[in-house]
Amino acid sequence: MKYWSKITKTLTPYVPGEQLNEPGIIKLNTNENPFPPSPKVIEKIKKCLGSELKKYPDPESTELRNSIADFYEIEKDNVFVGNGSDEVLAHVFMAFFKDKKLYFPDITYSFYPVYCGLYEINYQTISLNKKFEMETKEYLNLDGNIIFPNPNAPTGIGMELDAIEKILKNNPGNLVVVDEAYIDFGGKSAVELIDNYKNLLIVQTFSKSRSLAGMRIGFAIGDEKLIEGLIRVKDSFNSYPLDRLAQAAGKAAMEDRDYFEYTRDEIIKNREWTISELRMRGMELLPSKANFIFVRVKDAENMYRELKARKILVRYFKKPLMDSYLRISIGTKEEMGKLIKNIDQIMGV
Ligand SMILES: *Cc1c(COP(=O)(O)O)cnc(C)c1O
């Protein structure tokens, strides 16, 4: 295409999970939350649906950032917000990663290499060990910046905070970005380390543990100077990445702690139930601290297709090292019951 710039011709875009919206479909393929947003969120969004929409939203998302700061007992100036954590991550790559090499695990969130392509960043992957874990020692004293999710995706495996601290301590000249998209489902956030480690930036999202994937709200937490860098990039790109509805919804979601804890606990319970059911059937699973499980299946692609034919969508990655696994998001108790029943039928039990 003659109008495409050189860089556009080289891009390999990220491919998100299928969004089939047929009635009756059980969607366990994109790690969305099976619970609706808090009723208080819906109420707040309705209040925004008036003439105020003629006006631009707060470009600094002050109230939303304050609510995140309150939740984590930090300051507003330690918080950056963006249009989904994917956008926050894009700004992170632009703001901090352009000038040296970037390291991340070989099995991880597949958007990272895509951003490297977009921003022309040189990267190197580090292999997980045989148990699909990140080996802490492989991440010490590197000659470049580092990004990884905790828990990792699509494995679900979590990393202890003392391992993360060791990586931070042994990379004083490098930025370490921890993508905590799934941290609320059983891990411990690294937010408590930001005062001691100026080279730590944490990225989180409202899409998974706060049932707001459709609203597109993500955030980053770190030293003020890092946040200032992100704001510079954001204000060179889009002054208003979060609209009025998103800012109000995000604030209400952050403030409704009871609903957040209740839905999170339900998902953890459903995860443990699903794991024990699958183990009873002799299946191998990685230990998950996320709202999904990574399950080894004899013919994974076939199982994916058979489940889809039965209106259950799971995620299959046709990639080396991952192609004998399915990633299955944790839904409601009822949905997980149906999943198990259908797996039994497919396996002819
Ligand atoms: C889902 C996910 C994101 C993106 O979340 P959004 O806020 O919806 O853009 C980022 N990182 C990881 C590891 C994810 O799984």
Side-chain angles (χ1 to χ4, degrees):
M1 177 49 187
K2 67 177 178 182
Y3 301 115
W4 288 11
S5 57
K6 262 192 237 126
I7 179 92
T8 305
K9 287 178 194 156
T10 70
L11 297 179
T12 314
Y14 176 74
V15 184
E18 302 159 274
Q19 289 291 354
L20 286 185
N21 286 314
E22 292 167 39
I25 204 128
I26 297 180
K27 223 175 146 290
L28 306 175
N29 69 328
T30 49
N31 301 339
E32 289 144 327
N33 200 304
F35 294 98
S38 151
K40 291 179 182 161
V41 169
I42 307 297
E43 216 175 283
K44 277 279 155 50
I45 291 174
K46 283 186 181 153
K47 281 207 181 118
C48 292
L49 297 175
S51 69
E52 289 292 290
L53 283 178
K54 73 187 176 196
K55 292 195 270 176
Y56 283 111
D58 173 9
E60 294 177 27
S61 298
T62 310
E63 289 191 37
L64 172 59
R65 286 165 70 204
N66 275 328
S67 70
I68 297 167
D70 287 348
F71 187 90
Y72 281 108
E73 299 176 351
I74 52 176
E75 298 299 320
K76 184 198 79 178
D77 292 342
N78 296 118
V79 182
F80 175 81
V81 294
N83 192 261
S85 64
D86 286 337
E87 185 188 82
V88 174
L89 287 166
H91 290 342
V92 167
F93 278 62
M94 176 72 198
F96 309 120
F97 290 164
K98 288 218 22 136
D99 304 334
K100 50 179 175 181
K101 201 190 266 180
L102 178 66
Y103 289 92
F104 49 82
D106 61 342
I107 298 179
T108 195
Y109 189 36
S110 45
F111 226 133
Y112 302 154
V114 174
Y115 293 131
C116 287
L118 180 61
Y119 294 120
E120 305 181 277
I121 295 162
N122 184 14
Y123 70 91
Q124 190 173 322
T125 60
I126 300 178
S127 302
L128 299 182
N129 68 19
K130 286 212 178 74
K131 289 153 82 184
F132 284 88
E133 298 158 338
M134 284 173 59
E135 283 284 357
T136 311
K137 63 176 191 304
E138 307 271 351
Y139 290 82
L140 308 182
N141 305 309
L142 295 178
D143 57 346
N145 298 305
I146 303 167
I147 185 168
F148 56 87
N150 182 39
N152 197 6
T155 64
I157 294 178
M159 201 179 213
E160 299 294 331
L161 270 197
D162 53 4
I164 291 178
E165 193 164 0
K166 200 167 174 193
I167 293 172
L168 289 162
K169 210 176 268 174
N170 289 282
N171 284 284
N174 301 322
L175 184 67
V176 179
V177 177
V178 184
D179 181 349
E180 294 189 338
Y182 303 103
I183 197 68
D184 294 324
F185 300 105
K188 190 154 188 248
S189 174
V191 169
E192 64 184 63
L193 300 177
I194 62 164
D195 283 337
N196 288 337
Y197 296 96
K198 308 295 180 197
N199 59 334
L200 168 63
L201 188 76
I202 292 150
V203 177
Q204 285 199 16
T205 176
F206 282 66
S207 298
K208 277 81 186 222
S209 58
R210 286 187 170 79
S211 302
L212 282 172
M215 211 76 229
R216 312 307 301 128
I217 313 169
F219 59 98
I221 291 177
D223 181 64
E224 275 179 45
K225 286 286 164 201
L226 293 173
I227 301 307
E228 207 183 305
L230 286 171
I231 292 172
R232 287 176 74 100
V233 171
K234 170 230 161 210
D235 286 335
S236 306
F237 179 78
N238 179 0
S239 307
Y240 310 103
L242 287 161
D243 60 48
R244 284 175 176 270
L245 309 189
Q247 291 187 33
K251 177 173 187 276
M254 257 303 152
E255 289 174 352
D256 195 348
R257 292 189 193 209
D258 290 345
Y259 187 83
F260 162 71
E261 285 166 15
Y262 166 73
T263 51
R264 176 199 61 195
D265 292 349
E266 284 297 304
I267 290 167
I268 292 174
K269 253 191 274 169
N270 296 345
R271 176 184 72 206
E272 296 311 309
W273 180 83
T274 308
I275 289 175
S276 75
E277 289 293 315
L278 292 173
R279 288 230 166 99
M280 276 195 284
R281 286 158 177 80
M283 289 194 183
E284 245 181 84
L285 290 103
L286 301 187
S288 171
K289 288 240 156 83
N291 67 337
F292 58 83
I293 48 176
F294 205 47
V295 196
R296 196 181 168 100
V297 182
K298 247 183 223 124
D299 184 350
E301 190 169 12
N302 182 57
M303 179 63 86
Y304 155 78
R305 271 202 236 100
E306 289 282 346
L307 284 170
K308 188 171 171 180
R310 291 165 163 82
K311 289 197 166 194
I312 299 178
L313 266 190
V314 300
R315 190 91 193 252
Y316 170 67
F317 298 93
K318 203 172 186 152
K319 285 183 187 170
L321 305 170
M322 295 196 256
D323 58 2
S324 51
Y325 287 80
L326 294 178
R327 192 195 69 189
I328 304 175
S329 310
I330 302 300
T332 60
K333 183 83 203 282
E334 193 195 349
E335 289 172 328
M336 300 325 280
K338 283 186 184 160
L339 169 80
I340 298 291
K341 214 179 260 169
N342 279 279
I343 287 179
D344 281 346
Q345 283 173 9
I346 294 164
M347 301 201 319
V349 178

